[in-house]
Amino acid sequence: MQAGGFLEPEIIHYNPKDFDLGKKKAFPFRDQHFFASVEKANKDIGVTPEYDLLDGLTDSYNLDFGRGSFRKEADFTTNDMILGKKLVSV
């Protein structure tokens, strides 16, 4: 949101078992949690990140979209399928 200059999104919870998306993926939605950290690299070998999270996301967003050089238009078909159904909003 901040990295791309967007407003705070509405968080939607859904049950992936309620959808048959075929071979399409519900990116960026996942049916499992995904976490990453630099703490182990920092502790074990002293790696210090060059960017904090917000700066890194802003840089990635600008490189991917800011120059208009992204490879193809985003496909929001699965997002529309999921969000078109009556869901619980937080």
Side-chain angles (χ1 to χ4, degrees):
M1 296 95 33
Q2 284 181 316
F6 301 104
L7 298 174
E8 189 75 23
E10 177 184 6
I11 304 298
I12 303 289
H13 295 271
Y14 79 104
N15 183 350
K17 293 176 183 168
D18 290 344
F19 298 89
D20 178 8
L21 304 176
K23 293 185 179 191
K24 290 187 171 275
K25 294 182 179 178
F27 181 82
F29 304 115
R30 298 176 188 263
D31 60 356
Q32 62 188 18
H33 295 294
F34 179 82
F35 299 97
S37 171
V38 298
E39 296 301 317
K40 184 169 175 49
N42 184 290
K43 184 182 82 174
D44 291 353
I45 58 176
V47 170
T48 303
E50 185 175 342
Y51 301 101
D52 64 16
L53 178 61
L54 181 57
D55 289 337
L57 290 173
T58 301
D59 185 62
S60 293
Y61 180 83
N62 289 334
L63 289 174
D64 290 343
F65 296 100
R67 299 181 304 190
S69 60
F70 52 93
R71 293 184 198 120
K72 61 182 181 178
E73 290 293 326
D75 178 1
F76 296 107
T77 306
T78 55
N79 301 52
D80 293 339
M81 289 170 66
I82 293 167
L83 296 175
K85 198 166 187 182
K86 181 111 174 121
L87 303 170
V88 176
S89 173
V90 175

